[in-house]
Amino acid sequence: MNLLSHTAILSALLLAMFQPSCALPEVVLDSPPPPITRAEVDLERYTRKAIGKKPEGVPWIAHVRAFDLNQDGLMDAIGCEAKHDEVIWLRQEGNGQFTEVLLASNMQAPVHAEISDLDEDGDLDVLVSCMNVVFPNNDKIGTLIALENDGSENFTKRILLEGVERVNDAKVQDMDSDGDLDLIVGQFGYDQGEVRWMENVGPWQYESHSLLQLSGLINVCVDDFNGDRYPDIAAQFSQQWEEIHLFENDGTGNFTSKIIWGSTNHDFASSGMTVADLNQDGMPDIVFANGDGFGPTLKPGPRPWHGLQWLKNTGDGNFNYNRIGDLAGAYSPVVRDIDQDGDQDVLSVSAFNDWSNSESDSLVWFRNDEDQGFTKVTLAHEPIQLLTIDFADFDGDGVGEIISGCFPSAPPFERINRFAIWKERTSR
Amino acid sequence: MSKPLILAVGVILTAGILTGGLNWNKQRRLAATIQDHLLPPPSSKGLHSELGYRIAELNKRTTEGPNRIESLAELSSLYHANGYLSRAWQNYRILIELDDKNPLWPYRLATIVSSFGHLDDSVALYRNAIKLDSEYIPAHIHLGDALLKLNRYDQAQRTYQSAYDKDPSNPFALFGLARVALTQDDTKIAQRLLESARRSNKRIGGDLLAEVYESLGEMSKARALLHDVTWSSHIDIPDPWLDDLVSVCYDSFEVAMAGGKAGRRGNTTRAIELLKKAISLDPLDQNAHNHLAETYVAQGDLNQARLAYEACIKVSPTFDRGWAGLISVELKSGDQSRASQVIDQAIVKCPNSYVINNYKGEDLIKKTLFREAIPFFETSVRAAPEKAVGYNYLARAYLNLGENGKALKYLQRALKTEPSNPLSIKLITIFYVLAEDTAQARAFLRKAVLSPRISEEDIAQLQAMFDEKFKR
């Protein structure tokens, strides 16, 4: 190679290298991108009205469920007051007026109520999960109680299960295709817990079948998750497990289990789960929250990973995970078409937040952009320490209302109420 | 100049220019990668001022300065430690690209990704981290956890085994292997592994082991374990690659959380350091002061505990837990007179606190002023109707007054409130033994035997009382 050609090559190289306008190819990062929460505030969307009795002291409304209990065409609600051991019926009298009726007292810290015609006599009974002691306790003190309706909304207590780890949730479904209603029960316990189904073997008689012994069960949900036409069970576990298990039913009450989601963060703080066809593809998806605020400090509080997510059902009992958005202290996910635009949105509350900041989220709507992209819309900053909500058309105008319940578990005990109805402003 | 010399100079010149050019190009690529992928900084509204300054400064140095990778690394840690997980996530992605020999980046990203449950994605990241540093055991444990939750039991087993091979006494590896064994219904192997895990660290495996004992019918072992186990006993694996992030955390709650975790692991010295840091970040945080005091109590340092409780009630004079702690320190110190003084101060500040009213009532009982104690216990049960403790005190006061009917009524209310309250069960058993009610005494003695919270010694005492009364 002569000097000339050498210089020529060098020049060409230098030109190529030092050409400032020469764009570098964009580097594509191999790993998956992070979820980003888009956020808005709309404090004007709803007006709030307290219903039921005025609080005396600090209420512990652990659960509220919208349901027309007396089937008079007016939407009512059932509430669990865990501190005073009461199951409450918020009976609607029309025109948005509610009367608080004590359905049952001495209910051993009720934390969840389901409404179903358990004895199939044509009226609605109430199935109540009772922890007996709400805060940490590993003793076998859990109870499952049915409130049997005599047809005139007089209720008789029947204990269906007792002396077990604290019962957190129970659902009703025919699990063995024999035409009667069985029960699916979740026991949070503390260091020990369990999920079981209780086979209906006669009037108010049940035989228990254990599915898994694991502590920290938050919710059980029942649906045909794998598309074989038989009801399956999904169970959400918190504590150090942070997993969702699926129990696939062969139609006769035999189950095969697997984990369908898990976090390796022992403080992920799973706090609630519901089933809904979020993407409206005909298959039931799972929407769940993580926002429990208790940890190794003396006061509960928010963590940066708290929020909402959904497991997209991809068929045959398989799911994939999608983050919906961040929400400190997220609890009680509810899936409905909030803005009547044809897609499914998600409502949630913050049970644990930085309440010294008056702008901390309390009630939040995750608005669906039709393609399961969500924008977080803060609807309210108070009342604080809401633990439970439901959504239904209480006034029959075709637009749903939110009903909320408050469970302040730590100071500040201010800006709180018991139950409230949130109605969308008519001017919208 | 000779031709060979010219050629040599040319080659050297070319090599130098090429090297410089390549470096320059690398810097351009580095700058472009950061520029293209860095997320905008968070709003400075409400941020700790020093944190806000550091974020702004590091964002600048990351995009403009000479030490961009170092700055990006520092910024990533800052984001991760202070709860900006999406930004930390994105920064670690960039660092994995630009600093691909450092295991910290794939590991930290893996922990965030697997925290959110993107388990498949996390497996590749954990494996990358292990490839870069196979000696870091927490990476193996977390990878094992991710694989277990993906139902990939064989792979999980091998991964936990690799951690076990490096450290056969590692309780987290043993615990993981036990979980895999349980998925195969191999209860006996799980029992052996969980017992080994608990021998290494008493806070690992107790919950699962209790279930295993019960399923094997070994009820006395289960009972003994459940009596011994601290509720929610599980602890996280010590993880310096993550735990060290707290050194750049400006959120007092998160720092206190880290302190709580250290305390749970038994490292009270580290817990105290962190709780002091939490207090320095938010000197008015009554809970952090209280937590610090409790940690001193756990260390047995009552003098420091007293100072911390005094600081706590100074910042929050109506915070009953702070007063209760201070009272307990005086009682532990054996200074009853000082305790009485503090109780009187506390009841003025917290007249409706159940715990302070219980202390006041108890103080009066010690002075044999049983009748005078009752109103305080009545206030206690009004303030906390869900707790058995106030009813237990009332029962004891009435027993001392010889009003057994009332005492029994309150014991029954205590047990309705908390059916497994160990003190209530013991008291009512004794009550029925003394009342010579064989059936009730036997029933509650049976309840005591079944309750793991009541010690074997207490049960032996109750049994002896029962035998003496009824088997003469």
Side-chain angles (χ1 to χ4, degrees):
Chain A
M1 192 188 295
N2 64 28
L3 196 58
L4 193 64
S5 61
H6 184 94
T7 308
I9 290 167
L10 180 62
S11 305
L13 270 172
L14 291 176
L15 267 175
M17 240 182 229
F18 294 92
Q19 176 59 258
S21 61
C22 172
L24 289 165
E26 190 182 342
V27 172
V28 178
L29 304 178
D30 281 341
S31 42
I36 306 288
T37 298
R38 297 187 297 270
E40 295 174 4
V41 177
D42 183 357
L43 303 179
E44 300 302 314
R45 189 174 185 90
Y46 286 93
T47 56
R48 169 171 51 94
K49 187 176 104 178
I51 59 169
K53 292 179 187 164
K54 286 186 178 163
E56 289 172 17
V58 178
W60 281 7
I61 307 300
H63 189 226
V64 64
R65 165 59 56 90
F67 212 94
D68 180 7
L69 184 65
N70 55 356
Q71 296 170 287
D72 64 353
L74 296 170
M75 184 60 72
D76 311 311
I78 304 296
C80 294
E81 215 302 353
K83 182 185 275 184
H84 297 293
D85 298 332
E86 294 172 346
V87 177
I88 292 159
W89 176 19
L90 295 161
R91 188 179 66 210
Q92 192 182 169
E93 314 294 355
N95 301 322
Q97 300 303 310
F98 291 81
T99 300
E100 181 168 331
V101 178
L102 180 63
L103 272 192
S105 56
N106 296 320
M107 285 297 289
Q108 307 182 36
V111 293
H112 193 102
E114 286 290 315
I115 295 91
S116 177
D117 182 5
L118 287 166
D119 52 2
E120 300 178 74
D121 64 353
D123 54 40
L124 292 167
D125 311 298
V126 186
L127 182 65
V128 188
S129 305
C130 305
M131 297 184 86
N132 232 315
V133 172
V134 172
F135 287 103
N137 193 311
N138 192 50
D139 295 332
K140 291 182 171 58
I141 52 176
T143 309
L144 182 66
I145 298 175
L147 299 176
E148 181 187 1
N149 191 341
D150 69 357
S152 304
E153 283 69 63
N154 301 304
F155 292 86
T156 305
K157 213 183 283 184
R158 285 182 178 274
I159 292 182
L160 307 183
L161 178 69
E162 62 182 336
V164 297
E165 294 93 352
R166 296 180 303 158
V167 179
N168 217 32
D169 192 11
K171 297 282 163 39
V172 183
Q173 185 72 250
D174 177 10
M175 299 306 290
D176 50 2
S177 315
D178 64 356
D180 57 27
L181 291 173
D182 308 303
L183 309 175
I184 302 89
V185 186
Q187 300 155 219
F188 183 95
Y190 201 69
D191 281 326
Q192 296 172 289
E194 186 172 0
V195 55
R196 70 174 73 198
W197 76 282
M198 294 171 62
E199 181 184 353
N200 189 333
V201 292
W204 300 108
Q205 299 295 311
Y206 297 90
E207 191 179 306
S208 277
H209 304 277
S210 181
L211 293 173
L212 180 66
Q213 290 177 321
L214 202 63
S215 60
L217 188 137
I218 299 291
N219 280 132
V220 285
C221 292
V222 182
D223 212 316
D224 175 16
F225 289 108
N226 59 6
D228 66 357
R229 298 173 187 268
Y230 299 118
D232 311 300
I233 301 167
Q236 181 189 33
F237 294 88
S238 60
Q239 299 292 73
Q240 68 267 37
W241 317 114
E242 301 296 354
E243 291 165 356
I244 296 175
H245 290 238
L246 178 67
F247 301 91
E248 293 179 84
N249 185 3
D250 70 358
T252 64
N254 293 309
F255 293 86
T256 310
S257 73
K258 66 177 178 183
I259 299 172
I260 54 171
W261 176 85
S263 165
T264 58
N265 177 357
H266 295 168
D267 292 329
F268 187 73
S270 290
S271 56
M273 175 176 75
T274 189
V275 173
D277 184 5
L278 192 66
N279 57 352
Q280 301 183 87
D281 65 353
M283 292 188 282
D285 308 304
I286 291 171
V287 176
F288 63 105
N290 62 311
D292 183 52
F294 289 96
T297 53
L298 299 184
K299 72 164 182 181
R303 307 306 299 276
W305 48 80
H306 284 173
L308 277 296
Q309 40 266 307
W310 68 292
L311 295 180
K312 180 183 174 184
N313 190 335
T314 57
D316 298 323
N318 297 311
F319 295 82
N320 71 43
Y321 171 87
N322 302 273
R323 183 77 167 175
I324 291 173
D326 299 341
L327 174 60
Y331 259 78
S332 194
V334 171
V335 179
R336 295 285 195 288
D337 181 6
I338 304 300
D339 52 357
Q340 307 100 46
D341 66 350
D343 57 28
Q344 295 290 298
D345 308 296
V346 182
L347 280 172
S348 183
V349 290
S350 173
F352 302 96
N353 215 326
D354 175 10
W355 302 124
S356 65
N357 178 356
S358 61
E359 292 185 7
S360 288
D361 296 323
S362 174
L363 177 65
V364 169
W365 165 37
F366 287 91
R367 188 180 62 225
N368 193 339
D369 69 1
E370 297 181 21
D371 201 23
Q372 288 63 253
F374 292 89
T375 300
K376 176 184 160 191
V377 184
T378 300
L379 298 175
H381 297 309
E382 60 180 77
I384 63 172
Q385 307 208 54
L386 297 175
L387 189 79
T388 175
I389 46 169
D390 204 353
F391 185 87
D393 183 6
F394 281 90
D395 57 9
D397 66 354
V399 178
E401 285 79 39
I402 301 165
I403 184 165
S404 61
C406 198
F407 189 128
S409 53
F413 298 132
E414 56 195 34
R415 294 179 281 149
I416 57 176
N417 68 9
R418 289 174 79 231
F419 298 101
I421 288 270
W422 306 67
K423 183 170 171 51
E424 203 170 306
R425 284 181 201 274
T426 48
S427 59
R428 294 184 69 88
Chain B
M1 203 181 286
S2 69
K3 195 173 172 186
L5 189 59
I6 291 171
L7 202 60
V9 169
V11 167
I12 290 166
L13 195 63
T14 306
I17 290 169
L18 273 174
T19 308
L22 285 171
N23 263 334
W24 186 79
N25 226 10
K26 189 179 164 191
Q27 289 303 316
R28 277 183 72 207
R29 179 177 166 277
L30 194 151
T33 304
I34 293 174
Q35 199 84 44
D36 289 346
H37 296 285
L38 191 68
L39 294 176
S43 159
S44 58
K45 188 182 168 191
L47 278 189
H48 187 283
S49 57
E50 190 178 321
L51 174 63
Y53 170 80
R54 286 186 71 182
I55 287 176
E57 179 66 16
L58 285 167
N59 264 284
K60 199 173 165 194
R61 278 168 41 197
T62 296
T63 49
E64 292 174 10
N67 302 314
R68 291 178 187 186
I69 291 182
E70 291 79 357
S71 302
L72 185 64
E74 207 178 318
L75 182 63
S76 309
S77 298
L78 207 56
Y79 280 152
H80 197 165
N82 290 283
Y84 298 100
L85 298 182
S86 292
R87 288 178 176 82
W89 177 323
Q90 181 70 355
N91 283 10
Y92 291 139
R93 295 175 76 209
I94 304 170
L95 284 164
I96 288 168
E97 184 65 32
L98 301 179
D99 185 19
D100 61 0
K101 298 287 185 286
N102 191 334
L104 202 56
W105 316 135
Y107 179 73
R108 283 190 178 167
L109 180 56
T111 61
I112 296 176
V113 167
S114 64
S115 167
F116 282 109
H118 293 284
L119 297 175
D120 274 316
D121 294 323
S122 77
V123 166
L125 290 161
Y126 281 124
R127 287 200 164 128
N128 186 10
I130 290 170
K131 202 171 117 190
L132 294 168
D133 183 352
S134 66
E135 295 306 309
Y136 192 64
I137 289 182
H140 295 264
I141 300 297
H142 286 313
L143 174 60
D145 291 348
L147 291 165
L148 182 79
K149 288 167 198 279
L150 285 165
N151 308 293
R152 285 149 66 172
Y153 302 127
D154 288 347
Q155 292 177 42
Q157 202 272 346
R158 285 199 297 275
T159 306
Y160 290 129
Q161 186 68 41
S162 67
Y164 174 86
D165 291 343
K166 291 177 194 306
D167 176 9
S169 64
N170 186 295
F172 300 93
L174 291 159
F175 183 78
L177 288 167
R179 274 207 89 188
V180 175
L182 286 173
T183 66
Q184 320 296 319
D185 293 325
D186 217 332
T187 319
K188 275 285 175 195
I189 288 181
Q191 177 188 345
R192 182 177 55 76
L193 290 162
L194 290 166
E195 284 172 343
S196 297
R198 266 182 70 73
R199 273 195 296 276
S200 285
N201 187 324
K202 281 192 82 171
R203 303 206 69 160
I204 305 293
D207 39 15
L208 286 186
L209 188 54
E211 293 287 3
V212 165
Y213 284 146
E214 286 181 2
S215 72
L216 293 169
E218 301 200 44
M219 305 313 282
S220 62
K221 278 188 177 176
R223 188 189 192 288
L225 175 65
L226 288 170
H227 181 73
D228 192 35
V229 86
T230 310
W231 282 345
S232 187
S233 62
H234 192 87
I235 54 169
D236 286 340
I237 186 168
D239 188 348
W241 288 2
L242 284 185
D243 296 343
D244 289 351
L245 286 168
V246 73
S247 64
V248 289
C249 181
Y250 291 84
D251 179 336
S252 65
F253 181 71
E254 285 295 325
V255 175
M257 273 280 177
K261 275 189 172 184
R264 269 194 187 176
R265 286 177 189 151
N267 189 350
T268 49
T269 304
R270 178 68 176 148
I272 285 168
E273 274 172 31
L274 290 169
L275 289 163
K276 283 181 174 173
K277 178 177 174 178
I279 291 168
S280 73
L281 288 165
D282 182 0
L284 298 180
D285 184 348
Q286 60 194 24
N287 291 291
H289 284 283
N290 197 35
H291 200 161
L292 176 64
E294 284 189 6
T295 312
Y296 279 127
V297 172
Q299 267 196 341
D301 189 341
L302 296 183
N303 289 331
Q304 286 298 327
R306 183 182 290 109
L307 292 173
Y309 279 127
E310 284 170 352
C312 178
I313 55 176
K314 193 173 174 190
V315 301
S316 183
T318 58
F319 183 52
D320 63 344
R321 287 184 72 163
W323 283 105
L326 185 55
I327 294 163
S328 76
V329 164
E330 300 304 352
L331 290 171
K332 279 194 176 85
S333 304
D335 191 341
Q336 182 61 50
S337 147
R338 173 74 188 135
S340 295
Q341 284 172 18
V342 178
I343 289 167
D344 287 338
Q345 291 167 18
I347 203 94
V348 172
K349 296 289 183 187
C350 316
N352 297 314
S353 158
Y354 85 91
V355 64
I356 301 301
N357 276 280
N358 283 339
Y359 270 125
K360 178 64 186 171
E362 199 178 13
D363 195 42
L364 291 167
I365 280 184
K366 282 177 187 159
K367 294 167 183 162
T368 67
L369 297 168
F370 305 117
R371 188 75 62 195
E372 289 79 356
I374 285 169
F376 293 98
F377 297 135
E378 286 173 343
T379 303
S380 166
V381 297
R382 272 197 303 276
E386 76 284 3
K387 292 183 192 297
V389 56
Y391 297 115
N392 284 338
Y393 274 123
L394 277 168
R396 286 169 70 182
Y398 280 114
L399 280 173
N400 280 306
L401 289 166
E403 297 181 34
N404 291 358
K406 283 186 178 171
L408 179 60
K409 183 183 88 176
Y410 283 115
L411 284 175
Q412 287 166 336
R413 285 184 69 174
L415 283 166
K416 200 171 132 221
T417 305
E418 281 186 60
S420 60
N421 185 281
L423 182 59
S424 309
I425 293 173
K426 282 189 282 186
L427 286 173
I428 204 165
T429 307
I430 294 167
F431 179 91
Y432 281 124
V433 168
L434 296 176
E436 301 190 359
D437 184 334
T438 322
Q440 290 284 12
R442 182 176 288 118
F444 280 100
L445 180 58
R446 174 82 188 137
K447 208 166 176 174
V449 170
L450 290 174
S451 170
R453 289 165 72 193
I454 300 178
S455 70
E456 298 285 354
E457 294 77 25
D458 283 348
I459 287 169
Q461 272 185 4
L462 291 173
Q463 185 71 57
M465 278 184 81
F466 182 91
D467 291 347
E468 192 183 328
K469 180 67 81 177
F470 300 113
K471 293 190 177 173
R472 271 181 300 188

